[in-house]
Structure formats: structure tokens, C-alpha cells
Amino acid sequence: MGKVRRRQFLIAAGALLIAPLVADAQQATKVPRVGVLIPSTPAATANLIAAFEQGLREHGYVIGQNIVLDYRYSGGPIEPVPGLASELVRAEVNIIVTTTDAVVRAVKQHAQAIPIVFVNSSDPVGSGLVKTLARPGANITGLTNFAPEVSGKRIQLLKETVPTLSRVAYLWNRDVAGAADVYREIETAARRLSMEIQSVEVRRAEDIDRAFAALPKGGDMALLVQVPNPVFYAMRTQISDLANARRLPSMFNRVEYVSDGGLMSYGPNVQEMYRRAAAYVDKILKGAKPADLPVEQPTKLELVINLKTAKALGLTFPPSILLRADRVIE
């Protein structure tokens, strides 16, 4: 064998030996990809995404370098969710982060082998997403807003703020997971306070104007909005504006509604829940199984009030409410 051919042979043989090592190294350093599927719009959920990304940074991740985020938005309706979930599966994401029971169920059907981290689930056990909060038992875990007494407490806070109230218009979609149970809880709480519940069903964003047009103005009625409901959350500014235009004191579950003009909110800090979701992502990427990661429940509920809206409605918050408020928007 000539010197040139011998040299070529050695180079080729060396390349064959090195190739598997290079492939293994590339596989070992493959950047994890996390799918984030939101049943809303980018604008409506910008603060939540910012909180999630902040949580990732706190765990040492640099987005675009040692982690890739693949976002999908449905715009509010649930119908696009299956297709978006399939897109994330084809993108070979390592984890999917999503929210609300109905959306999680839809994602699960199309991503049965991918870990799913949920945020703001209303009843993960009752919805069949997990076996128990302590031991989820499958490929799903995350954070729930489940606190059975909260709906009744919201009505109580409304009555305390406006003692003359005798009716509450409840804006809801009965097709949302757990909706019927929450409605019965609200009715029970209203009866204890000698109040009536007026059911106002809305399934699509296009129906919101019509629903409000059918409501009387102010007087002895207030507005309570279903939670969680991605359509309502995406349209929260419109809902707050319509409630104020009809002079309806309004109660929500999240500060974002109040920041956008609603009167009051009482519930967990969902923005903080998104930040905490990053801890689940970190643990799973480091080898933990969703089945072994307990579902986190809210440890603190926040009361937020809007003084500007109260003034526009001709209301004055009683001292008992002002003293309990965790945040005051002026």
C-alpha cells in the first residue's frame, strides 16, 4: 500500500471511530425543548409568560441557549387545541406546559408519552387528570387553584362591599370542566346571604355583548365571572368595561381583571403559579417523573380592589374590605 493510500485509509478509519463519539456528544448536549400551549392570546397572557420565563431564569436556564420554548396560542377557543398539541408532538418537545382542565385533557389525548405540567387547573382529581394530588400517577402534574370555599367567599365579599345587593349575574359556560359543581356551590352561598343567582351563559366571545345587553343596569345586582375560563380571560377588558357601563359591581378571580377595570378579585396569584411552574419543568428535565411530583395547591389567596372603578360606580369600600385588601389599584 502506498504512503498516500495508507494515509487515506488511516484517516477514514479514524473518522469511523470518532463519528459515534461525536454523535453521542451531540445527543448528550441536545438543548431541551419545552412546548407552551396557551388557550388565549399573546397579548392577554404576556404577564404570565414573563413570569414563567423568569422562573426558568431563576433555575439557571437561558432561553435560546440551554432551553428552547415553543409557544402555541389558541386565541381563546378550545377547538384549535388538539391541532396545536399535535404540532408540539411533531416538534419533539420534552415537556408541554398548559392550563385549565379542558385544555389539559385535550393535550393529553395527543401527547400521552410527553410530560405535561399544568397551571391553574380547577379540579385535577375530579377532572381525571391525576389520581391524587399527592401522587398524580401518570404523565401529568402541576399547580391547581382548587380551593372549594373560594366561590362562596367571592359572593360574601361582594355582599360586604355592597350590602344592598340581592342578585348576582353569573357569567359562565356550563361546558367548562367542573362548572356544574361550582354553580351549585355559588347558589348555596347566595342563599345563605338571601341573594339570587341569575345564570348568564356565554360560550363564545362573540356572545358577550349580547349577554350584557340582556342584563339590567346596576341597582341591586352584581356580576360574578366563572373561573377558569380562557375566553373570558382573553376578553377581560371588554367584560370589565361592559360591567362598569351597566354599573354592575364586579367580582373576579384574578388581579388582571381588576387591573383592566374590574372592581374586585379574590383568588390565588396566577402569575406566581406560572413562575412556580418553572420548578416542575426543571425537575422533570433533570429526571423526575410527573407521576411522583405532588400537585401544588394555593397557599395564599389575594383580595385586590380598584378604587378608581369604585368611585366611577359611586361605591365606597367599607373599612373591613380596605383592611383586608392585599393590593389596591388607584
Side-chain angles (χ1 to χ4, degrees):
M1 181 182 296
K3 289 184 178 180
V4 173
R5 294 188 62 189
R6 185 170 183 272
R7 186 181 298 113
Q8 291 174 338
F9 172 78
L10 291 173
I11 292 173
L16 290 173
L17 292 172
I18 292 172
L21 298 176
V22 172
D24 289 344
Q26 290 176 339
Q27 183 67 27
T29 59
K30 185 178 180 181
V31 176
R33 179 177 292 271
V34 176
V36 183
L37 199 163
I38 304 294
S40 187
T41 65
T45 56
N47 63 319
L48 305 179
I49 295 305
F52 175 61
E53 293 184 355
Q54 175 60 31
L56 289 174
R57 287 191 290 271
E58 291 170 2
H59 285 86
Y61 293 96
V62 179
I63 298 167
Q65 292 186 23
N66 60 355
I67 194 168
V68 173
L69 300 181
D70 198 342
Y71 288 104
R72 295 290 189 279
Y73 295 88
S74 79
I78 193 174
E79 287 78 11
V81 168
L84 297 177
S86 296
E87 288 179 16
L88 292 176
V89 172
R90 289 194 295 271
E92 298 183 349
V93 296
N94 301 93
I95 301 171
I96 295 178
V97 177
T98 189
T99 181
T100 74
D101 296 13
V103 174
V104 177
R105 278 205 308 271
V107 172
K108 180 183 178 181
Q109 292 176 0
H110 296 268
Q112 296 182 8
I114 298 175
I116 297 172
V117 174
F118 59 71
V119 186
N120 204 28
S121 165
S122 57
D123 186 3
V125 176
S127 297
L129 301 178
V130 299
K131 291 182 179 178
T132 67
L133 297 181
R135 301 282 293 182
N139 66 318
I140 301 177
T141 188
L143 301 96
T144 178
N145 63 21
F146 183 66
E149 74 286 356
V150 172
S151 296
K153 184 68 174 179
R154 290 187 182 114
I155 293 181
Q156 180 183 326
L157 289 167
L158 270 173
K159 182 71 171 179
E160 193 172 337
T161 300
V162 190
T164 57
L165 290 179
S166 62
R167 295 179 297 162
V168 174
Y170 182 50
L171 193 69
W172 70 310
N173 178 358
R174 70 171 63 245
D175 294 332
V176 172
D181 292 336
V182 173
Y183 187 81
R184 285 191 290 270
E185 179 188 331
I186 289 171
E187 281 189 312
T188 300
R191 280 196 299 269
R192 286 199 302 266
L193 296 168
S194 300
M195 300 174 70
E196 296 180 0
I197 296 295
Q198 179 173 333
S199 172
V200 183
E201 293 194 47
V202 173
R203 287 181 169 81
R204 304 177 305 162
E206 306 89 272
D207 298 331
I208 292 175
D209 279 320
R210 171 196 54 75
F212 273 90
L215 293 175
K217 286 191 175 182
D220 62 350
M221 178 176 279
L223 175 73
L224 180 66
V225 175
Q226 179 187 39
V227 296
N229 186 306
V231 171
F232 295 164
Y233 183 76
M235 307 302 294
R236 61 183 182 270
T237 301
Q238 178 189 5
I239 291 172
S240 295
D241 288 346
L242 287 169
N244 295 338
R246 303 198 76 79
R247 304 190 68 77
L248 295 170
S250 54
M251 169 62 80
F252 305 94
N253 73 315
R254 295 169 62 166
V255 63
E256 292 91 344
Y257 285 93
V258 184
S259 297
D260 288 345
L263 179 65
M264 309 172 67
S265 69
Y266 181 69
N269 185 329
V270 179
Q271 190 167 321
E272 174 64 13
M273 292 170 70
Y274 272 82
R275 188 185 71 83
R276 290 284 306 139
Y280 282 86
V281 170
D282 179 56
K283 290 175 182 177
I284 292 171
L285 289 178
K286 289 178 178 176
K289 296 180 180 179
D292 301 328
L293 294 175
V295 174
E296 184 174 304
Q297 293 179 273
T299 56
K300 185 178 185 299
L301 301 176
E302 292 185 327
L303 174 61
V304 184
I305 60 176
N306 189 318
L307 295 182
K308 182 178 179 180
T309 298
K311 183 178 180 180
L313 295 175
L315 299 175
T316 300
F317 284 109
S320 59
I321 296 292
L322 290 171
L323 288 172
R324 273 183 282 170
D326 297 281
R327 295 177 60 180
V328 177
I329 296 174
E330 302 187 55

